[in-house]
Amino acid sequence: MQVMQDFIMTYGYLAIFLMLTFGIIGLLVPDEVMMTTVGYFTNTDVLNYGPAVLFSFCGALLGMIVSYTIGRKAGRPFINRYGKWIGLKEKRMKKVESWMMKYGPYSIILAYFIPGVRHLVCYFSGIGKMKLQTYITFAAIGAFLWCFVFITFGKLVGIIQ
């Protein structure tokens, strides 16, 4: 936690952008805690609210696009080869793909607010070959809402203290 705070205080908006990009791809970054901390920093004048939301949004969206691309290009071959070891057999994958085709765009928005699921839905959107334009539209809506909610929450926590 302290390392994350120091990284943000040293590198500012670039740190936010990079940590969110890598966090959404799946590296161990505590995204919600980081976003709340960013919001708190906007209240203490370490960061400005508008740029914090913008850089967070851009980092989250880039992470979502990279995850989608990995899922689209490498996901199906990976699952065909190793899926049986992690419980993703062909029958289950067909169900996942069917579900993504039906509810996928809306699940992208909802998934932002569920830790862990946010990461998986990106890859499964790519594996399920969701149209890129549809994916980016819903990923952008979800990214903005998620960033706005958590940064605003962090800012409010700073006001209350």
Side-chain angles (χ1 to χ4, degrees), residues 85-157:
W85 301 107
I86 56 173
L88 292 175
K89 296 180 181 169
E90 188 61 31
K91 184 178 179 183
R92 185 170 285 168
M93 282 308 300
K94 291 289 184 193
K95 284 183 182 179
V96 168
E97 287 175 355
S98 172
W99 192 85
M100 287 302 292
M101 293 301 272
K102 189 172 184 178
Y103 303 109
Y106 302 105
S107 68
I108 294 168
I109 296 171
L110 179 63
Y112 263 102
F113 294 91
I114 306 170
V117 174
R118 162 178 54 250
H119 312 292
L120 294 176
V121 86
C122 307
Y123 292 105
F124 282 117
S125 295
I127 291 168
K129 297 192 180 350
M130 182 183 292
K131 287 184 183 177
L132 183 60
Q133 182 179 358
T134 302
Y135 178 78
I136 289 175
T137 299
F138 284 88
I141 292 167
F144 179 77
L145 290 173
W146 182 73
C147 293
F148 176 78
V149 165
F150 277 94
I151 291 175
T152 301
F153 176 72
K155 187 171 182 68
L156 292 173
V157 166

